[in-house]
Amino acid sequence: MSAEKQFVPPFASGAGALSGASAHRRTVLIAGGAGFIGSNLARRLLAQGDRVICIDNLETGRSANIEGLIPNPDFAFFLHDIVEPFTVKGPVDRIYNLACPASPPKYQRDPVHTLKTSFIGGLNLLSIAEKKHARILQSSTSEVYGDPDISPQPESYRGLVNTVGPRACYDEGKRATETLFYESHRQSHVDVRIARIFNTYGPRMDPEDGRVVSNFVVQALTGQPLTIYGDGTQTRSFCYIEDMLDGLTALMEADEVEPTIFDPVNLGNPHEFTMLELADLVQDLTGAKVKRDFHPLPKDDPLQRRPDITRAKTILGWEPKVPLHDGLIPTIEYFRDEIEMAQQKIGGVA
Amino acid sequence: MSAEKQFVPPFASGAGALSGASAHRRTVLIAGGAGFIGSNLARRLLAQGDRVICIDNLETGRSANIEGLIPNPDFAFFLHDIVEPFTVKGPVDRIYNLACPASPPKYQRDPVHTLKTSFIGGLNLLSIAEKKHARILQSSTSEVYGDPDISPQPESYRGLVNTVGPRACYDEGKRATETLFYESHRQSHVDVRIARIFNTYGPRMDPEDGRVVSNFVVQALTGQPLTIYGDGTQTRSFCYIEDMLDGLTALMEADEVEPTIFDPVNLGNPHEFTMLELADLVQDLTGAKVKRDFHPLPKDDPLQRRPDITRAKTILGWEPKVPLHDGLIPTIEYFRDEIEMAQQKIGGVA
């Protein structure tokens, strides 16, 4: 048996339950809670009165994303890698598994660990869900579709993934973990939800994330040429973080009246942009007059990726509302602040 | 840290190395060594002078398959589930991972365990390979292609697999484990081989395996109607066990002169038969005059599955030699003996 760490959130004592106001407060565990989506989700849940336990190994999650939350008595952070078994003291009502490096340069750094994060991390969280009778949401990904030959991709599309390619550690880890969640529901009646998350952007993205929105914005703000892979006509869809949080929480809280609620649900913005269109928009909004550097397309880079969100619309009544233009404004503001802070730090040291 | 079991084969003491004759004898670990392919492989390796360590949890492997080997001083059997970490004492030169239930009714019995057998079992064996500097072969499967829309399937075909279907626990577990082996080679230089095994048949198959060759032969020999799913026009290719052993050992022993030797290799017989043709052949060879029962096609049952073996021919000089007719004769003999023994046991008890 592995020595299982136990984490004790300050609010686990049950003291809170004594006051009438907090009698019905929920405890939500967010694995990957210091990441881009996780840290935004933590803020939203805290704002609506939930208690939040954040588990993160800070491999790609950033302490800057949660520093502001540490003083909050309803927030508890534990530095832990979900590949190692753990428990938490006290009740847990919901578990969001958002713990896995999600951008190619990051998940390719230690591919075996990426696979383990998805699969063994998923197993460890499912074990907590089972013990605590918590509902658990797995963040899957549009990458389960690989380099798709149909567009948009509905959930029934089986994908075109290379099992021995540079993206496989992420794609196949996420695919097998979908199966693990699906079977944990069928076999042990764990109340699971599976979200296939498409490209998402917004404040608290990692400026060094390596994906296109952060790349373009940071390059534009620092006066560097925009890096474009291929000829820039490949498309992506971009979902603003607030829309994504609406979708994730709607899926998590959806009742089981819909019998297929346990099956994967696409969450993303179906509005497609080419890389060149995104580059134009970023340059317009930042006012940056920079060149464009064209590089060869990386191996197994998908040429298109666009969600069919009919299922989310039908069973959750959800669809994204924020146009790319409107979402880019606060995103650019966030990156501007990040870059200024970084420059001040360098200035302070020099 | 998990408490790791250590298994000590009688030949691990190194005593054998003192005699000149055995100075160069290899030790081969076969995970799943009591299964159909594993137990046949053990016999072949022992016959050519190797020492064999057989690890099996006997979940689908059968003790009858290895009973005859127990007195052999070069054979050691350890009852163990590879999902739990373990080590073996002494040198290990080769590891064949043949440990996973492989027929749908068996791998669907405990789907979460099936996933863990592939992925965590694979991790545990890779860890032994790394420590012992052993070359390791992963038995992958034609099921990584799912329900293919091209035929035959070359290794570059990405497959059509449903991550949340009844076959997913096997298919996605095997896919993710291919990725795990591929990345263990790239990241830690483990000397891996990946065989995508297509339908194989022959002596030591489980009569209750639930797959079509064993089903038809057992039904024909016991005077029951042959069960045919769908209209029987779906095709399968069938590889005789001796051909498969030639392919597996050729892949294991192939030098690294071929730079893609670490990538998956299809092993199977490309000659296609419909279920109806197989039924005719089994009835001819057994002389059984039985009816045929038609049942609906199970969900996600592939309509065709046929290997493109160009790669195996090119890099291994391997191709199957035994026609279905010739392979079925010893297979039917084996099943006849199994059934007679089972009937004698029942007779003895009555």
Side-chain angles (χ1 to χ4, degrees), chain A residues 2 110-112 115 119-120 123 158-159 161-164 168-169 172 175 178-180 182-183 187 196 300, chain B residues 2 110-112 115 119-120 123 158-159 161-164 168-169 172 175 178-180 182-183 187 196 300:
Chain A
S2 298
D110 184 350
V112 169
L115 281 159
F119 189 82
I120 300 181
L123 269 173
R158 296 188 176 187
V161 175
N162 181 1
T163 60
V164 292
C169 64
E172 291 297 338
R175 286 178 65 101
E178 284 194 359
T179 309
L180 181 65
Y182 165 76
E183 290 296 2
Q187 220 177 322
R196 288 184 179 156
D300 287 345
Chain B
S2 297
D110 184 348
V112 170
L115 282 159
F119 189 82
I120 300 181
L123 269 174
R158 298 188 174 187
V161 175
N162 181 1
T163 61
V164 292
C169 63
E172 292 297 338
R175 286 178 66 101
E178 283 194 359
T179 309
L180 180 65
Y182 165 77
E183 292 295 2
Q187 220 176 323
R196 288 184 179 156
D300 288 344

Side-chain angles (χ1 to χ4, degrees), chain A residues 107-118:
Chain A
Y107 66 60
Q108 286 164 354
R109 227 162 25 193
D110 184 350
V112 169
H113 193 256
T114 300
L115 281 159
K116 287 163 84 171
T117 301
S118 280

Side-chain angles (χ1 to χ4, degrees), chain B residues 125-142:
Chain B
L125 294 173
L126 282 163
S127 152
I128 296 177
E130 211 175 336
K131 280 180 216 147
K132 305 276 184 185
H133 304 286
R135 187 178 290 174
I136 180 166
L137 183 146
Q138 164 66 6
S139 65
S140 190
T141 165
S142 61

Side-chain angles (χ1 to χ4, degrees), chain B residues 99-118:
Chain B
C100 188
S103 86
K106 307 249 163 155
Y107 67 61
Q108 287 164 354
R109 226 162 28 193
D110 184 348
V112 170
H113 193 256
T114 299
L115 282 159
K116 288 163 84 172
T117 300
S118 280

